[in-house]
Amino acid sequence: KRVPGVGFLMIKKQRKNNLSKGITKVQWTYDPLQSRNASIYINKCGAVVSDYKRSAYDLVGINAGVEADRFEAVWPIASQRVYNRVENNSYRQIKSSLLQELKSVPQANKTIIYQEAEKRDYRVIDSSTFGIDRPVIAMEIPINFADMIRTLPEDMERERFSVAKHWREKSRVLFEHYFERGYVVRDFVVDKENRAYYILEKGFKPE
């Protein structure tokens, strides 16, 4: 049974242990389309991302068929930003400002509901925009990618359109494109419609 908040408490303890050893930066990888991980690592912990790895390793079981692309997250644990997020829970206070920011920044992808899915809350990328040259942009990811992966084997067997593979293939080229142009994932937010977005800022450096 999942106990809410335990993972975050462990992360807080890890930060303190690393700082006591003189370690000021921690790195790890995670699936960029998993909104739950993005919420913890980017929003709550204050990690940032500017590196995308395609097919980081082979997957088996329910994940087979979707390449294991990964974000390489950097967690500058000695920064004021991370201290505020982890120790002062500032991620709770900044949500309203992130939602307000989301309304004013250009979005690199537009999504629509995938009508043929049995679950009507599956969304797919309808259009992608490359070459945006604004200080801050947003990029949507699925709120329920884990569910999409679980339905993948059945989709493959029936030779149907795979929503999970669609997201992987469409999103990877967008992330790579903007990372190459100096954008950094600095925030993550879920709006009132339960849609999930990364906020990317050009040249962002956590302090």
Side-chain angles (χ1 to χ4, degrees):
K1 183 179 179 180
R2 185 182 296 274
V3 180
V6 171
F8 187 49
L9 289 175
M10 292 177 64
I11 288 172
K12 291 176 69 171
K13 185 176 181 180
Q14 180 189 38
R15 175 181 175 272
K16 290 181 179 179
N17 288 341
N18 282 319
L19 285 173
S20 69
K21 298 174 184 177
I23 298 170
T24 59
K25 183 174 72 174
V26 178
Q27 294 178 241
W28 66 83
T29 61
Y30 77 95
D31 190 327
L33 297 181
Q34 294 284 7
S35 61
R36 177 174 291 174
N37 289 347
S39 178
I40 295 172
Y41 300 147
I42 306 300
N43 181 239
K44 292 184 178 181
C45 294
V48 295
V49 180
S50 60
D51 190 15
Y52 192 98
K53 297 183 180 300
R54 288 196 182 204
S55 302
Y57 50 85
D58 293 331
L59 291 177
V60 296
I62 63 171
N63 295 308
V66 178
E67 292 183 74
D69 293 8
R70 294 292 181 264
F71 268 178
E72 176 140 354
V74 178
W75 196 29
I77 58 176
S79 70
Q80 187 64 41
R81 164 190 164 90
V82 168
Y83 176 83
N84 289 339
R85 297 282 177 107
V86 173
E87 301 299 335
N88 294 337
N89 297 327
S90 67
Y91 66 90
R92 293 175 178 169
Q93 287 75 47
I94 66 171
K95 181 171 183 179
S96 59
S97 63
L98 288 176
L99 290 174
Q100 194 64 34
E101 183 178 34
L102 187 62
K103 296 177 182 178
S104 63
V105 300
Q107 195 170 322
N109 59 351
K110 301 292 185 181
T111 70
I112 57 174
I113 295 174
Y114 179 46
Q115 298 291 348
E116 295 182 27
E118 293 180 6
K119 290 189 176 183
R120 295 294 182 236
D121 58 349
Y122 280 10
R123 303 187 70 87
V124 293
I125 296 177
D126 184 49
S127 64
S128 301
T129 303
F130 298 88
I132 300 173
D133 190 15
R134 295 275 296 276
V136 180
I137 63 173
M139 199 176 302
E140 185 173 2
I141 65 167
I143 195 71
N144 46 11
F145 188 67
D147 291 338
M148 293 176 181
I149 289 179
R150 279 193 283 270
T151 64
L152 178 64
E154 181 180 343
D155 287 345
M156 291 178 65
E157 184 177 339
R158 298 180 183 179
E159 297 182 350
R160 297 190 311 187
F161 173 77
S162 165
V163 181
K165 290 186 71 174
H166 161 89
W167 269 104
R168 179 69 80 218
E169 292 166 2
K170 293 286 187 178
S171 64
R172 64 163 38 151
V173 293
L174 274 173
F175 284 123
E176 289 172 338
H177 173 84
Y178 284 103
F179 285 165
E180 287 173 2
R181 282 153 183 78
Y183 284 85
V184 178
V185 169
R186 66 145 164 90
D187 274 303
F188 175 82
V189 66
V190 177
D191 70 10
K192 295 178 180 179
E193 297 179 355
N194 203 33
R195 292 170 64 179
Y197 299 86
Y198 284 113
I199 305 295
L200 294 80
E201 182 173 334
K202 196 168 190 176
F204 178 75
K205 294 181 180 179
E207 297 178 354

